[in-house]
Amino acid sequence: MPRFFRGNESDSDSDYDSTSDSGASDVETQQQKSTVTSNRFASAAFDSDSDDENVKRVVKSAKEKQSEEITEVSKAILNAVRADEWKDVASDFDKVVGIAAKLSKTLKDQKLPRVYIRCLYELEEATERGRSKEDLSKLNADVVRGFNKVKQRVRKYNKDFAKQIAEYKANPVVSEDESDGAAGATGGQAASEQREPLKSKGKSRATEASSESESESDSGESESESSSEASSGSDDSWGSESESESESESESESENEREGEGATHARYSRWLKKEPTKKKVETKKPAKKEKAQQRAAVQAAAPEEEGEEDDGFTTVGKGGKAAAKPVITAENLSKHLDSILESRGRKNTDKKEAVSKLEGLLSIAVNPLQKAKVLMGLVSAQFDSSGNAQYTPIELWHKTQTTINELLLLLEANPKISIFETAEVAEDYNDFKYAGEAAGLRGSIISFVDRLDDEFTRSLQNIDPHTPEYVERMRDTVPLYVTIVRAQHYFERIGLKDSICRIVLRRLEHLYYRTDQVNAHVEANIAPLPGHGTSTIVPPSAAGDMEVVIHNLCAFLYQNAEPLLRTRAMLMQIFNHALHKRYYVARDLLLMSHIQENVHQADVNTQVLYNRALAQLGLAAFRLGKIQEAFDHTLELVSSGRQRELLAQGVTQQRTQQLSPAEEQLQRQRQLPFHININLELLECVFLTSSMLIEIPYMASANTNPEARRAPVSRLFRRMLDFNERQVFIGPPENTRDHIMAAAKALATGDWESARDFVQDIKIWSLLPDCDEIKAILATRIQIEALRTYLFTYSTQFESVGLEELANMFGLSVAKVYSLLARMVYGGELQASIDEMSGVLVFSRANFEVSSRLQQTALTLANKVNAFADVNERIFELKINGGNAPGDRQQAGNEQGHRHQGERDGGRSNQQRGRDGQRGGGNQHRKDGASANTNGNGNGSGASRGRGARRGGPGGSGMRRGGGGRR
């Protein structure tokens, strides 16, 4: 009976077959093998229900499940990172964080799996690795959002695991779980390695089913090797895993179990997935290590040419033959150099590869001419390799600066080689045969230096000035200045006047905003240069005096440069003079140049430089005690409310003005580096202090001169003062504005000591180099302005005041008080005279006529009351006349007189009565009507005009009656 229909009798049959066929021939044994193999699936199908109790079940705890889950998700994250699938990384990261939180509670004080720490480390490395905007623009929008989300989450989340990540960095050994994940990540390689072992699986299975008792150890070894090569950490290799596991179990069982149950259990146990064993992992690891060692050996043995790594592929030409790589020699160097330079700017050109090729050509060049050509191309390629980044990376900038210095050093050592923009180069000239004759190359050294300086400035604009990175970057200022001076010496030697003007202006831009002490230290670094002693612009005798150095540089530009460069040089010299308290020199230079007349037509950068020079002039005047001049120079800048924008130190957002992103980006590109900025708080403090010393006496002078103009000198200061006075509660001063407002109030009352203390307590004065001297000047000026304010305020209350009393009151000498009062009397500010014999200031009678502020207010109110009474009487006149003016009533009286005249002509008996009426009317007209005609017709003024109008009513009637009598 066939075994397919025997069902549960398979165990007894297998026992019977194994004992009865032991002495059979090899042919019968081969037949039994085929029978067992063909009926394996059917037997397993029938025996699956009855033999479930023989299957080894695995019960896992919550800790094991969570560990496996966090391992799987970590592997998935690593695979997604390698494939740039950041959307999946973002979702899996949220998942793995939740699993890790649960596992941490389960593990308590134990560490999390190492594969999870590795996942966090690689995520941090992948997100912190710099990516340009060009790279991100190639990705999908969802991927970019996922990348940004993961970058923010990882940076914050990894702080809790900083210690474990640091331990992993110190010993990045891949564990067993990590090796599975790493192998699973390389899916393409694993798929290719699985093809051949799959063929050997069938053979090993057939061999196992046929002879377990004969060659168990040999078949086990072959199967374990095939499974380790085929699995590579993938779940698809479950067949080979079950084979190795069944063999390991069969080896541990007794001989009787292998004979009785081995054949039956082997039929279905291979289809059940179980836990990986140590034997499986141990067989996989050596194979992977051997493959990695083989790949490393192949890469190390691969030939490298022109600095390129061999990627394992061979260039094939026609006919399938390997194409030979071009051999570059000094003779054909120009040809290869031209081909590299022609590819510059083309699409899909690898810029880094071009730089490496040029570096290889530089090592092949044999003469200075060839080296100069390659160095010029290398500088251009290095500038291009920065891409669309905001600024050239610092490391690349250093390499470019080194290349430019090599080029300048080469030109200094070979004076017959010159590089300029209009050089004529013969096409058929062979630079390989160069023997030291005069040769010209077409290029622009000044463009290289300008680009190098611009990239340095751009990097300072984008680096946070409050970090050590900015200070570290500032150390490159001196080497850059040396490169600029070296280029200037080269241009002086070959006589390129246009390039000399541009490079001299660059040198000025690095000197004008520094003090002489700092500039002297910088200039000491250019002494070892070869052309330092031959310079005609700055001779060696003037090297120590920085004022002379800057003057010589500016004088050269005044004589040779174009108007724009001359203007910029003039403004830089003005700024430098003002910086060193040479105020009068700087002011005269500004006035004689007439720059202020046409600066509005200049470019934006020149206007910014003009504003900076103006602000520095105001600071210089203030340091010398020139309060009025300091106020005039800083008024327009501070009152505009756009100091940051006008000085190129930031972007000011106006409520009514919305800048587009392009305009805002353009303004940010114009901003100056932080170390060049003028302190805006100091500038505002100087302006407000000057305004206080000018505005407070001017406000007090209104008492003695009421007809003076009422417009404030500084609207900004007056507005701040009014706002401060309207405050209900005013606490102690905290910032600069509060101190100045408190000082202004004290100064208005004549309390000069409190005003002095408030001003000197401002901490911003410590930024000025001569702080103590400035405080002493301000104290003296506050005493003088307090005296002037006191005299303006209380001059109407005194007939005379003694000079000694004023001197004691304000802490001044008698001579100082006398000179101040004499100047005020001579200027017409006070209506008084000085009695030198008695030492008294005698006020004139004009002050008493002006009277006090209370009397002036009373007179003003009286005038307003008179005007109100006049309007009221006019309204009353309209009311009693029925809405008609007094002139209309007079016209009606004339018409009535004509009617009476007609009646008198009708009867003689009434003629005498008419004459009597004429006499009576005339008398009444002379008595009352005259005053009514003069006052009631509106010829009076003020309130009397209204009263005359009321009396004019009866007088008018008398006149009308008299007129009627006459007629």
Side-chain angles (χ1 to χ4, degrees):
M1 184 177 179
R3 295 177 62 188
F4 182 82
F5 299 101
R6 274 185 252 181
N8 295 331
E9 298 176 0
S10 59
D11 296 339
S12 62
D13 292 341
S14 62
D15 296 338
Y16 175 78
D17 292 339
S18 62
T19 55
S20 62
D21 293 344
S22 60
S25 62
D26 296 336
V27 178
E28 293 175 353
T29 304
Q30 186 66 28
Q31 292 176 357
Q32 183 180 357
K33 294 178 184 178
S34 61
T35 304
V36 172
T37 305
S38 61
N39 294 334
R40 181 181 302 147
F41 295 98
S43 177
F46 283 103
D47 298 343
S48 60
D49 296 334
S50 61
D51 295 341
D52 284 345
E53 58 187 8
N54 296 327
V55 178
K56 185 179 180 181
R57 299 291 182 179
V58 179
V59 179
K60 299 180 180 179
S61 63
K63 174 182 175 181
E64 293 175 347
K65 290 181 180 179
Q66 293 171 358
S67 300
E68 290 181 0
E69 191 173 1
I70 197 173
T71 302
E72 292 176 0
V73 180
S74 299
K75 292 176 183 178
I77 290 176
L78 293 175
N79 296 338
V81 169
R82 295 185 182 95
D84 257 353
E85 296 293 339
W86 290 99
K87 183 178 180 181
D88 299 337
V89 173
S91 60
D92 290 342
F93 183 75
D94 296 337
K95 187 188 301 181
V96 79
V97 167
I99 299 171
K102 296 178 182 178
L103 185 58
S104 299
K105 296 179 180 179
T106 306
L107 296 176
K108 295 183 179 178
D109 296 335
Q110 300 180 13
K111 295 183 178 179
L112 291 173
R114 189 175 175 83
V115 65
Y116 178 65
I117 301 302
R118 178 192 173 195
C119 175
L120 296 180
Y121 169 71
E122 294 200 5
L123 276 177
E124 183 178 358
E125 291 293 324
T127 53
E128 295 298 334
R129 191 182 304 120
R131 287 202 174 201
S132 62
K133 293 183 179 179
E134 183 179 357
D135 296 338
L136 293 176
S137 62
K138 296 179 182 178
L139 301 176
N140 190 9
D142 295 335
V143 176
V144 175
R145 282 193 292 268
F147 176 79
N148 295 330
K149 180 181 178 181
V150 172
K151 183 176 181 180
Q152 296 174 359
R153 291 287 308 278
V154 167
R155 186 181 301 173
K156 182 179 180 181
Y157 184 74
N158 282 11
K159 293 180 181 179
D160 299 335
F161 300 92
K163 184 178 180 181
Q164 301 182 33
I165 293 175
E167 293 177 358
Y168 180 83
K169 287 183 182 179
N171 185 22
V173 179
V174 180
S175 63
E176 295 177 0
D177 294 336
E178 292 177 276
S179 63
D180 294 342
T186 58
Q189 181 180 355
S192 62
E193 291 176 359
Q194 285 176 359
R195 295 172 184 169
E196 293 183 359
L198 285 175
K199 298 179 182 179
S200 63
K201 287 180 184 178
K203 298 179 182 180
S204 63
R205 290 170 186 167
T207 305
E208 179 200 12
S210 61
S211 58
E212 278 183 313
S213 60
E214 293 178 0
S215 57
E216 208 169 71
S217 61
D218 296 336
S219 63
E221 294 176 359
S222 64
E223 287 174 1
S224 63
E225 292 175 359
S226 63
S227 65
S228 63
E229 294 176 359
S231 63
S232 144
S234 175
D235 291 337
D236 296 338
S237 59
W238 45 270
S240 60
E241 292 176 4
S242 63
E243 291 171 358
S244 62
E245 292 165 2
S246 64
E247 288 175 3
S248 63
E249 292 176 359
S250 63
E251 288 177 0
S252 63
E253 294 175 351
S254 64
E255 188 67 24
N256 294 331
E257 290 176 349
R258 286 201 303 270
E259 292 177 357
E261 298 178 358
T264 304
H265 189 67
R267 282 196 296 270
Y268 62 84
S269 62
R270 63 173 50 89
W271 307 106
L272 297 176
K273 183 177 179 181
K274 298 183 179 179
E275 294 180 341
T277 61
K278 294 183 178 180
K279 181 178 179 182
K280 171 188 139 183
V281 178
E282 291 174 356
T283 55
K284 288 164 64 176
K285 286 180 69 177
K288 291 177 183 177
K289 288 183 178 179
E290 290 177 1
K291 291 180 181 179
Q293 292 175 359
Q294 290 176 2
R295 287 195 295 268
V298 171
Q299 292 178 359
E304 295 183 0
E305 295 183 4
E306 300 180 6
E308 298 179 359
E309 295 182 358
D310 189 5
D311 54 0
F313 295 95
T314 304
T315 305
V316 180
K318 293 183 179 180
K321 297 181 179 180
K325 291 186 178 181
V327 179
I328 302 176
T329 61
E331 296 181 356
N332 60 4
L333 184 141
S334 297
K335 180 179 178 181
H336 290 280
L337 178 62
D338 294 340
S339 64
I340 295 173
L341 296 180
E342 287 176 359
S343 64
R344 179 187 176 193
R346 292 181 181 176
K347 193 176 181 180
N348 299 328
T349 301
D350 192 350
K351 299 175 182 178
K352 295 182 179 179
E353 182 182 359
V355 172
S356 61
K357 288 181 179 180
L358 289 170
E359 290 175 351
L361 292 180
L362 183 61
S363 61
I364 299 174
V366 295
N367 56 54
L369 189 61
Q370 288 184 340
K371 289 182 179 180
K373 285 185 176 181
V374 176
L375 286 172
M376 291 171 59
L378 182 59
V379 172
S380 302
Q382 287 173 338
F383 279 129
D384 293 342
S385 61
S386 61
N388 295 328
Q390 292 181 344
Y391 61 93
T392 302
I394 298 177
E395 184 179 358
L396 180 59
W397 187 90
H398 284 299
K399 291 181 179 179
T400 308
Q401 184 192 20
T402 303
T403 307
I404 294 176
N405 287 333
E406 289 180 5
L407 179 59
L408 293 173
L409 186 61
L410 179 67
L411 296 175
E412 291 171 359
N414 300 273
K416 292 187 177 181
I417 299 177
S418 58
I419 301 175
F420 49 96
E421 299 177 0
T422 58
E424 296 180 0
V425 181
E427 297 180 358
D428 55 349
Y429 180 74
N430 189 3
D431 54 11
F432 176 70
K433 299 179 180 179
Y434 176 74
E437 65 273 10
L441 297 177
R442 186 174 301 164
S444 178
I445 302 294
I446 185 63
S447 299
F448 293 156
V449 178
D450 287 346
R451 177 72 183 276
L452 188 70
D453 191 18
D454 292 340
E455 291 295 337
F456 176 76
T457 304
R458 197 171 298 143
S459 66
L460 292 176
Q461 290 173 347
N462 290 275
I463 297 175
D464 187 2
H466 305 290
T467 58
E469 185 181 358
Y470 190 90
V471 179
E472 187 69 23
R473 185 59 172 152
M474 282 294 298
R475 295 181 180 178
D476 297 327
T477 304
V478 177
L480 177 60
Y481 181 76
V482 173
T483 302
I484 292 173
V485 176
R486 175 172 282 176
Q488 176 190 334
H489 294 162
Y490 167 72
F491 293 136
E492 286 186 59
R493 181 171 59 82
I494 63 175
L496 292 178
K497 188 160 289 187
D498 185 30
S499 299
I500 294 174
C501 294
R502 291 171 61 182
I503 203 69
V504 165
L505 187 65
R506 287 280 174 181
R507 186 176 178 181
L508 262 178
E509 289 177 351
H510 283 264
L511 293 176
Y512 83 97
Y513 63 89
R514 297 195 187 109
T515 59
D516 289 344
Q517 293 81 2
V518 179
N519 286 335
H521 175 72
V522 174
E523 284 288 326
N525 292 274
I526 67 172
L529 295 180
H532 180 63
T534 60
S535 176
T536 58
I537 300 176
V538 181
S541 59
D545 191 352
M546 292 310 303
E547 182 180 358
V548 177
V549 170
I550 294 178
H551 174 75
N552 291 345
L553 294 174
C554 294
F556 177 82
L557 293 175
Y558 297 156
Q559 297 174 2
N560 302 283
E562 58 184 7
L564 177 60
L565 300 185
R566 289 201 302 268
T567 302
R568 292 185 63 84
M570 179 75 70
L571 293 172
M572 290 179 189
Q573 190 175 12
I574 292 171
F575 188 97
N576 188 261
H577 282 309
L579 182 65
H580 294 89
K581 280 179 70 173
R582 297 189 287 267
Y583 169 73
Y584 295 104
V585 179
R587 183 197 62 182
D588 296 342
L589 196 59
L590 178 64
L591 295 177
M592 290 188 297
S593 62
H594 299 283
I595 296 177
Q596 64 274 14
E597 297 177 1
N598 53 8
V599 70
H600 61 279
Q601 299 177 357
D603 60 319
V604 177
N605 294 328
T606 304
Q607 293 183 20
V608 169
L609 186 57
Y610 173 78
N611 295 335
R612 284 171 54 80
L614 211 59
Q616 195 63 42
L617 268 176
L619 294 177
F622 187 81
R623 291 166 62 185
L624 293 175
K626 304 293 182 183
I627 302 301
Q628 185 63 47
E629 289 81 357
F631 174 80
D632 294 338
H633 290 312
T634 57
L635 173 62
E636 189 174 358
L637 278 175
V638 181
S639 299
S640 64
R642 299 166 53 235
Q643 303 95 300
R644 294 182 180 274
E645 184 179 351
L646 295 175
L647 297 175
Q649 297 180 190
V651 179
T652 304
Q653 289 289 350
Q654 300 291 339
R655 294 182 180 178
T656 59
Q657 181 183 8
Q658 293 294 335
L659 296 178
S660 63
E663 293 177 349
E664 186 175 355
Q665 181 67 19
L666 187 61
Q667 285 193 6
R668 293 190 183 278
Q669 291 177 358
R670 295 178 185 143
Q671 291 182 13
L672 298 174
F674 181 77
H675 66 282
I676 307 179
N677 291 352
I678 298 174
N679 193 296
L680 296 180
E681 186 178 357
L682 176 62
L683 187 65
E684 183 183 17
C685 181
V686 168
F687 170 75
L688 292 179
T689 305
S690 303
S691 301
M692 177 191 70
L693 296 175
I694 296 173
E695 187 74 25
I696 296 299
Y698 174 77
M699 293 170 60
S701 65
N703 293 331
T704 59
N705 189 10
E707 297 180 359
R709 59 188 181 92
R710 299 290 178 155
V713 177
S714 174
R715 294 182 182 275
L716 179 62
F717 177 81
R718 186 72 69 88
R719 188 163 54 248
M720 289 183 181
L721 187 60
D722 294 342
F723 177 78
N724 187 269
E725 289 178 349
R726 288 196 301 269
Q727 298 298 317
V728 177
F729 174 76
I730 300 177
E734 297 178 356
N735 51 25
T736 302
R737 291 186 179 182
D738 293 344
H739 279 85
I740 294 177
M741 293 299 108
K745 289 182 178 180
L747 185 63
T749 59
D751 188 2
W752 65 274
E753 293 179 347
S754 299
R756 179 198 60 189
D757 294 339
F758 280 128
V759 171
Q760 290 185 350
D761 288 342
I762 299 175
K763 298 180 180 180
I764 201 68
W765 301 127
S766 60
L767 297 180
L768 295 174
D770 41 5
C771 173
D772 296 335
E773 182 181 354
I774 292 174
K775 287 183 178 180
I777 293 174
L778 287 176
T780 305
R781 191 59 186 263
I782 288 173
Q783 291 173 330
I784 294 174
E785 298 303 329
L787 175 59
R788 297 178 70 243
T789 305
Y790 181 80
L791 292 176
F792 287 143
T793 305
Y794 302 107
S795 62
T796 58
Q797 309 299 324
F798 295 99
E799 292 184 359
S800 62
V801 61
L803 300 184
E804 293 184 0
E805 185 179 355
L806 291 176
N808 295 330
M809 186 183 298
F810 294 97
L812 297 171
S813 63
V814 177
K816 186 70 175 178
V817 172
Y818 180 83
S819 63
L820 176 62
L821 295 179
R823 187 167 62 249
M824 294 176 66
V825 171
Y826 181 78
E829 296 177 348
L830 281 179
Q831 300 296 328
S833 61
I834 300 176
D835 188 355
E836 297 182 2
M837 298 299 295
S838 58
V840 174
L841 178 66
V842 180
F843 295 99
S844 63
R845 301 299 301 176
N847 287 325
F848 303 108
E849 295 177 0
V850 171
S851 71
S852 64
R853 184 182 300 177
L854 178 61
Q855 294 172 349
Q856 293 176 7
T857 306
L859 291 175
T860 303
L861 291 176
N863 292 332
K864 290 184 178 180
V865 168
N866 289 332
F868 178 75
D870 183 22
V871 174
N872 192 21
E873 289 179 357
R874 286 178 180 274
I875 295 173
F876 182 75
E877 179 67 25
L878 292 174
K879 182 178 180 181
I880 63 176
N881 292 332
N884 297 323
D888 296 337
R889 289 186 63 190
Q890 184 177 359
Q891 183 177 1
N894 293 332
E895 293 176 355
Q896 187 178 2
H898 288 295
R899 288 197 302 271
H900 288 307
Q901 183 179 2
E903 293 175 357
R904 285 192 297 271
D905 293 339
R908 295 179 178 178
S909 61
N910 295 330
Q911 185 176 8
Q912 185 65 34
R913 189 182 301 172
R915 293 191 185 98
D916 295 338
Q918 183 179 7
R919 295 189 191 97
N923 295 331
Q924 185 70 21
H925 170 67
R926 284 192 297 270
K927 292 180 181 178
D928 299 329
S931 60
N933 290 333
T934 56
N935 297 328
N937 291 333
N939 295 327
S941 60
S944 61
R945 186 168 61 245
R947 291 190 294 271
R950 286 199 302 271
R951 290 194 300 269
S957 300
M959 186 178 68
R960 286 195 297 271
R961 287 195 299 270
R966 281 198 304 271
R967 292 185 181 88

